[in-house]
Amino acid sequence: MGFALYGAQNDKSVARGQKGAAMPVFTAASIIEGDTFEVNPQWEWKGETGTRVRPAGYNAPELYAYGGETA
């Protein structure tokens, strides 16, 4: 599963958004919980890097909570 907003470009590592803004393209490597997943390649933002992503605006139950395994 790949993630990119605003469609694909010739360079598959970057998607172009509104007003020419570039956005990296990531692939989900594994699902941690309903609202947390690992991506490939690592993200980099404001001098920090990582592989775990938790999208803003989503809130699934934690894995150990009621409904967590389903989420």
Side-chain angles (χ1 to χ4, degrees):
M1 168 186 267
F3 295 92
L5 299 179
Y6 310 116
Q9 299 293 308
N10 291 337
D11 177 1
K12 294 189 187 294
S13 65
V14 175
R16 294 266 174 216
Q18 295 175 341
K19 299 182 183 179
M23 174 179 274
V25 175
F26 299 98
T27 301
S30 63
I31 306 301
I32 306 302
E33 292 182 320
D35 57 1
T36 306
F37 49 94
E38 297 263 347
V39 295
N40 219 351
Q42 284 190 356
W43 53 262
E44 182 176 336
W45 189 67
K46 293 188 176 184
E48 296 193 30
T49 61
T51 58
R52 288 204 176 180
V53 176
R54 188 172 184 148
Y58 292 90
N59 189 19
E62 299 304 316
L63 189 57
Y64 57 83
Y66 178 77
E69 285 193 35
T70 301

